[in-house]
Amino acid sequence: MHVKENKQLYIGRTTLPLNRAEPALDQVEAEFQIAYVDPGKLAGPKTGTIMKDMHYTQKMKLSFAIDPKFWATPTEIVPVNQSFVIDGEKVTLTEIERSPVQTLTRFKFSDEVNADWERKQNIISDLLFNLSYIRGGVKTELVPYRGNGTDEGYENMFEGNSLDTVDALLLELIRSEPKQQIRVDLNQK
C-alpha cells in the first residue's frame, strides 16, 4: 500500500497460466471487485471477519487486446540437469522454461525429501533465488513472483519480457546460514 496526500493506492497482481496446446489469445478480460472492512473489526484475530461486516465495490471489468507480436517468440524448454547439495540433500535443476513474459526454473528433489514436506519446505524456505540476464554487458535482475512445490520438487517463476535476445542468463541460489552460493550459467546448457 502506498499513501500519498491522504490517498491510498493498493497494488495487486495475479498471473494467468496459459495452455500452450490452446490457440493464442487475442484479448483478455478480467472482472474484479474490491473488498473492505472497518480495520477495527479485524482486531481480534481469533474471531475472524464476519461476512456481514464486509463491503464490496461494484464489479469492474478490464479488457485489453494482446498484440499478435507477443506470440511471435515461442516458449523454449531448456534441459539443464545440474545437481548441487543443499542441507546435505541432492537437488537437481532439471530445466528452465523461457517465454516472452516469464522464466520458470524447475528443481527435482530425492524421493525421500519429496515424501517429507517439512524437510522439503526447510530447503526451499532457506534459499534466495536470483535470476538475471546480461545484454550488452549490462546485468538486469528479474523479479521472482511465485514459487510452488511440485510432485518432483519445486518450481520458481520470474517475470521478464526480454529473454529472447540475451547474451547470458544466470541463476543464483543463495543461502545465508551456512553461507552458500550456487551459480548456474543457463546459456551453457
Side-chain angles (χ1 to χ4, degrees), residues 135-185:
R135 179 185 296 133
V138 177
K139 182 178 178 180
T140 303
E141 287 193 12
L142 301 177
V143 178
Y145 67 90
R146 188 173 74 187
N148 51 279
T150 65
D151 289 341
E152 291 193 331
Y154 184 76
E155 71 179 7
N156 207 356
M157 291 151 245
F158 299 84
E159 68 179 20
N161 58 2
S162 306
L163 299 177
D164 50 338
T165 57
V166 300
D167 301 327
L169 188 59
L170 179 68
L171 175 68
E172 295 175 290
L173 305 173
I174 302 167
R175 195 167 168 221
S176 58
E177 291 297 326
K179 189 170 180 143
Q180 183 177 6
Q181 184 171 2
I182 300 161
R183 296 170 60 100
V184 180
D185 182 347

Side-chain angles (χ1 to χ4, degrees), residues 98-170:
R98 295 170 38 170
S99 77
V101 295
Q102 73 177 7
T103 296
L104 283 80
T105 55
R106 293 194 176 98
F107 299 89
K108 182 177 182 179
F109 298 147
S110 69
D111 291 340
E112 294 80 26
V113 171
N114 270 329
D116 185 342
W117 170 248
E118 188 174 328
R119 206 160 138 198
K120 184 176 177 179
Q121 186 63 26
N122 286 340
I123 293 171
I124 295 167
S125 64
D126 196 29
L127 290 175
L128 173 64
F129 296 85
N130 285 336
L131 183 66
S132 55
Y133 66 84
I134 299 171
R135 179 185 296 133
V138 177
K139 182 178 178 180
T140 303
E141 287 193 12
L142 301 177
V143 178
Y145 67 90
R146 188 173 74 187
N148 51 279
T150 65
D151 289 341
E152 291 193 331
Y154 184 76
E155 71 179 7
N156 207 356
M157 291 151 245
F158 299 84
E159 68 179 20
N161 58 2
S162 306
L163 299 177
D164 50 338
T165 57
V166 300
D167 301 327
L169 188 59
L170 179 68

Side-chain angles (χ1 to χ4, degrees), residues 36 42 65 75 85 165-166 182 188:
Y36 58 97
L42 298 175
T75 296
V85 176
T165 57
V166 300
I182 300 161
Q188 297 291 321

